[in-house]
Amino acid sequence: MIEPALRATPWALPGAIVVVIVTLVLAPRAARWLRTRPWLAFGIVASAGLVVLVTLSPSVDAGPGRTRFASFELSLDTFRRLDGINESTLNVALFVPLAAFVAMAGVNAVRRLTIPAVILLPVAVELIQYAFPSLGRSGFQMDDVVANLTGVLVGLAGGAAARFVITRASGADLPLASEPAEASADI
């Protein structure tokens, strides 16, 4: 399932290289802006880059003349197909890391916007795929939105649980990037 997906997206390898470079450049700035640990900012930026790469890069079917496609039907097959590696499980898995890193970063005045943004991202991705059929993507599919939102919810829950465990084990909240280094030596 993964090999055909890579063949269908010829920009996967160059795009991954760009994601790594952009992440290395932007993660320190993102850590300061979000007032969080650099490794959390790295995870957020890299995960967001991966989502953009996988969902919005042109496929081999890309080109002019593609028609818009929208499927607003919601079927329970989305959840029935979660028993193996297929398009539905990959859609779920794609959004788990981003949501988990966002949840682990916690909430402050700036980060308060990141959780709603992550929740709205699957709808935005599908709307962009619908608006630009030349990307060669499937257009707007409600099943993809549900699978992606499932990934977001799993990631938010997993990230919140990881944050809870880390803060309990260390006896303190995950320190912010602006806090002194000695307060965060164990994290």
Side-chain angles (χ1 to χ4, degrees):
M1 179 69 196
I2 293 174
E3 188 176 322
L6 290 175
R7 274 190 302 230
T9 308
W11 298 103
L13 183 59
I17 293 168
V18 169
V19 166
V20 169
I21 292 169
V22 168
T23 300
L24 290 172
V25 170
L26 292 182
R29 290 182 183 146
R32 286 190 300 275
W33 184 70
L34 293 171
R35 292 191 0 225
T36 192
R37 304 298 297 155
W39 64 271
L40 285 172
F42 183 90
I44 291 169
V45 174
S47 300
L50 179 65
V51 167
V52 169
L53 170 66
V54 170
T55 61
L56 298 178
S57 62
S59 74
V60 292
D61 296 332
R66 296 237 345 147
T67 58
R68 287 188 171 95
F69 171 77
S71 172
F72 296 101
E73 295 179 16
L74 180 59
S75 73
L76 294 177
D77 285 342
T78 300
F79 296 106
R80 289 188 191 119
R81 293 187 312 236
L82 295 178
D83 61 349
I85 296 178
N86 54 48
E87 186 178 349
S88 292
T89 55
L90 293 175
N91 278 338
V92 170
L94 179 62
F95 282 84
V96 170
L98 176 61
F101 283 117
V102 165
M104 287 175 61
V107 178
N108 68 16
V110 174
R111 289 178 286 194
R112 190 171 296 138
L113 300 175
T114 59
I115 291 176
V118 168
I119 291 171
L120 292 174
L121 185 59
V123 176
V125 163
E126 293 297 318
L127 287 173
I128 291 168
Q129 288 177 353
Y130 177 76
F132 297 99
S134 60
L135 290 173
R137 297 296 174 169
S138 59
F140 190 98
Q141 292 186 319
M142 188 57 80
D143 283 346
D144 284 353
V145 172
V146 170
N148 295 343
L149 283 172
T150 301
V152 167
L153 294 176
V154 168
L156 289 174
R163 181 178 178 81
F164 178 81
V165 169
I166 290 169
T167 57
R168 291 291 182 234
S170 67
D173 198 5
L174 285 176
L176 302 176
S178 60
E179 292 180 352
E182 55 272 345
S184 62
D186 294 331
I187 304 277

